[in-house]
Amino acid sequence: MCASDQAARSFPPGVVGRDLGRPARMPQPCCGSRQRLAAVVVDRYCASVARVQLTAQLVVDGRVPQALALSPDGKWVAYVVAPVGRAGVHPVSELWVAAVDGTGLPRRLTAGEAYDSAPRWAADSLLIYFLSDRAERGTAQLHRVGLVDGVVEAVTCWAGGVSGHLPLADPDLVVVIAADEPSAEDERRGRERDDARVWGERVLPDRLRLLDVRSREIRTPDAFGDRHVVEVAQRPVDGVLAVLTWSTPDVDPGLVEPGLHLLDPDSGVTWDLGPAAADASSLVWWSADDGWHLAYVAKTPPAMVGGHAVLDVAVPVNGPVGEHRNLTAGTTVCPSNLVQVDTGPPLALVADGLDTAIHRLDPAGPALVELSRVDGLATSLTTNRHGDAVAAVVSTSYEPGNVHAGPTSGPLTSLTDLRPELRNIRWGVQERLSYEASDGLTLDGLLILPAGRSHKDGPFPLVTLVHGGPYERHADRLMLGWHPCGQWLATAGYAVFLPNPRGGQGHGHDFAVRVAGAVGLDEWTDICAGIDLLIADGVADPDRLGIGGWSHGGFLAAWAVGQTNRFKAAVMGAGISDWGMLAATGEQGPFESALGGSSGWEGTGPHRHDRLSPTSYASKVHTPVLILHGENDTNVPVSQAESFHRALRRFGVEHKYVVYPRENHSIRERNHQLDVLRRTRAWFDRWLG
């Protein structure tokens, strides 16, 4: 919902609200003898409304929208609906379509018996291409479905499956991204288990292929060598393809060695545009006075840590390629993705404090021009060919994620109601916070009061939940999910503090880069400053404090208990205990090395990352710690949890160590998600009372 429609913002069922308005930028600290907390003032719940108890099943059995795609004519939005938790061996999802003007009910196009993903519209707005593993579970193939007749048709049967696709302006051509099909030797090795893996040998990068949908023939241009194809965007005027590649399919070093290329799909001629910035994504074409440009989102060069930027490179018809310019240097917002507009500059979705905004790139003035604003979190932005209509997944303080659509200038209207079972939950009242760090840096965050309680009922047991990343943020959305989440604890009687310390998203590159080589230092004091304010304001009971988080939030929970004994319990979810080991074994090694400040192979030490690793302070830990981790985590390997567990065991620290089989960095299986929710709340109940 956009800022222009603030008066219509909903409160939880039974809450009567006096909305004091939400600032367009990060609120400034209030004046007075000490800092105060900025908040939306909300009255108590009305006791007359029938209530539903929030259960772990209600959390993980819900359905969420994702992968939105607006039709080129702007009349329809296709999207995927998937359950939060996976009940079987393979995930399942459904493909839906809804009218952007809200007429009629959304229509389901697939039955939800397979995993359907990545919808893309054909140029005529009558066909939707998508990936599905209905033929062989776990192996995606390209399918298409007619908007009018709803008939689903398989388009490919590529051995090994398809990883990406893009319908082109030519209605008979579709880009298919897939690795080479297994050879007879590959099949033999698999059958006979003669499958030793040698790094650098038998690499299978995804390649760009052109599918003729009439003949079903697939041809593979001799382009880009063995580079791994990641994204493709088509230039509107002549059909030339811009291609983003990695040097290798491995995240490390592929993510830090991206390249840009051009391919003429008719002639097969290619051009190499050179390297792109690290972590490049969201490739789009746009036209300026000096000709065609390519823009993309990447880490602000040259650092591996910091905010994302919109980078732009001129692609003249003749002559050398221009320099990669940072179009968003000096801004205090963070672009998250771009969407191409065939008839004008691209749109950008940006994180702005606790909210999200839609901007347009402006070649004549400031790089980003705000068009509309969403109170809370918006993701999966998509637009039509003219850029005058948009759709996104939007979640606000008390509303779960739903598909919203409308004019680019706003407001956006909800087209779906995917979680009606949550309507009568008694939510904790969610408030916006603003305060200063010890060095004067302005910070923001959220506070959720225990459900049915107000400030005058305090002080309460307080759990601080730290976001991941560190380049993530707590936006003002409904805090409900499978990992330790705000409303799950608030409905059990806890106040919950959701801080946005330095290093996170939403306040520009300068704010985010402050944690480079310094994780756990000033970002930790930022969190402490917020806790101290909540204690001083009578919200938090200083004798009943807990802390937890997932990923980087798990790191900060482990870091916290080695720095202070003020917490009575901590939850370390998929957290980092040793930055040197993470740089050596995690899938994003160069980024982890930049966060920790060094790598283990840089001499005999002591290393900076040792001083920033929670394991180094294990002898000082007295707080009971719950450690949760996925067994197959490639982002933060389970050895991080094992290391901290062994250190705590060595020093006799009360703790529980839980490993979830088959899980990666995010927990996906339904029963495991239920366990995370129940175990987390039980842990805080045990130690915080």
Side-chain angles (χ1 to χ4, degrees), residues 201-239:
E201 295 182 7
R202 308 183 70 83
V203 177
L204 291 175
D206 284 348
R207 302 188 190 278
L208 185 150
R209 310 175 195 275
L210 295 170
L211 165 69
D212 185 321
V213 294
R214 295 171 303 175
S215 65
R216 303 301 169 91
E217 292 183 357
I218 295 178
R219 59 186 173 94
T220 303
D222 184 13
F224 324 130
D226 285 331
R227 292 187 67 85
H228 179 68
V229 173
V230 179
E231 286 188 27
V232 181
Q234 185 172 38
R235 189 157 63 188
V237 291
D238 57 8

Side-chain angles (χ1 to χ4, degrees), residues 38 68 330 401 407 501 513 517 640:
L68 274 58
V513 78
Q640 295 286 321

